[in-house]
Amino acid sequence: MAGIKRKEYLLYLANVRAEEQQAYDRGYRMTRKSIEEIREEFQAKYGSIYYIKH
């Protein structure tokens, strides 16, 4: 069974994708970050992407 992802992670992921889309819309051509890169960034800043029930 997969864990429940934290809403903070899902919002972070959505924000990264939105920023990438905005840059593209302004004419910047860049390589999108992989899900793994985004997950690693989030974990380095905030900890696990999964909700830990206590």
Side-chain angles (χ1 to χ4, degrees), residues 12-48:
Y12 185 84
L13 175 60
N15 285 334
V16 169
R17 290 295 188 229
E19 288 173 5
E20 290 173 342
Q21 185 62 49
Q22 289 171 353
Y24 181 83
D25 291 345
R26 286 183 296 227
Y28 294 101
R29 298 298 177 252
M30 56 199 242
T31 304
R32 291 179 59 184
K33 291 181 181 179
S34 69
I35 295 293
E36 292 80 20
E37 288 175 301
I38 296 169
R39 178 184 43 79
E40 288 171 4
E41 279 181 12
F42 182 87
Q43 287 179 319
K45 291 179 182 178
Y46 307 108
S48 176

